[in-house]
Amino acid sequence: MDMQTINTFLSTTAIELLIKVGAAIIFWIVGRWLIGKVVTLMQAAMNRNQVDPTLTKYLGSIVAIALNITLVLGILGYFGIQTTSFAAMLAGAGVAIGAAWSGMLGNFAAGAFMLVLRPFKVGDFVSVGGITGTVTELGLFATTLLTPDNVYTLVGNGKVFGDTIQNYSHMPVRRVERTAQLAGSVDPLDAIVRLKAAIAQIPNVATSPAPEVNLLDFKLEGPVISVRPYTHTDHYWQVYFDTNEAIARVGKEAGWPAPASTQIHRVTQA
């Protein structure tokens, strides 16, 4: 290769390549700056509309990734590289990833819907996906619960959103369900009066709705009294156990006998 050929290459192809490389670097820097501005403006608008911060963060990440891919394809096209094959390859990779991660994508979609619909929030006591506990984190792929026995539990959002959701914290109070089995010799109406007075003295029992004490059923042992105080879910277990103690205390103070089955045996002679 003679010097004339080298000079021709340097004066044409090499300079043109350097110009393109320099332009590509400028495009990348400016493009990245613009992408950052777009994502920042989008997240600021979502924050002004009080969209959940977790959803805002992840949507910003998705938009940033999509715009960065578009920027790279644009730069490759500027160099004269056919980007159609790259786009087809990305689409094929997307299909393959979608098939392999169908469960993850389902959890992601369910998490996005939950962040928008808000069936519960962090701190709520809920029953989701067969698990009951306090919500400690609501992510885009899984919901984190802390169960009453202090077990850290992750439930996939697809299972949460596709199953029944019970939010015990949504209403101001919830009802505690207890029963008192009486002996057959105990007057159930007198027992109801005594139990109502005792339940009303329990701390954190709501006055509205008032505690419900009713004659529920009759068994061989005697009448059954339903005892149903209302309380905030934060005090549920305290009221639950205090109600049991109140039933036992009232029975002891009133001198109620222990309930026992009554059976009559008849002996016939042939």
Side-chain angles (χ1 to χ4, degrees), residues 22-70:
I25 293 173
I26 294 174
F27 288 158
W28 175 256
I29 295 173
V30 174
R32 291 280 296 174
W33 179 80
L34 289 174
I35 290 171
K37 285 293 185 182
V38 169
V39 172
T40 300
L41 291 173
M42 183 194 75
Q43 291 179 333
M46 295 177 72
N47 289 329
R48 284 196 301 271
N49 288 280
Q50 297 182 341
V51 178
D52 188 274
T54 305
L55 180 60
T56 300
K57 174 184 176 182
Y58 278 89
L59 286 180
S61 299
I62 292 172
V63 171
I65 291 171
L67 291 177
N68 276 305
I69 291 175
T70 303

Side-chain angles (χ1 to χ4, degrees), residues 5 7 14 37 39 43 48 52 86-87 96-97 99 104 148 152 174 200 236 250 255 257:
T5 304
N7 289 332
K37 285 293 185 182
V39 172
Q43 291 179 333
R48 284 196 301 271
D52 188 274
F86 283 96
I97 292 172
M104 292 289 290
Y152 181 85
R174 58 183 291 201
Y236 179 86
V250 168

Side-chain angles (χ1 to χ4, degrees), residues 219-233:
K219 294 185 178 180
L220 289 174
E221 295 86 349
V224 180
I225 304 298
S226 64
V227 184
R228 298 167 176 169
Y230 290 83
T231 186
H232 189 275
T233 191

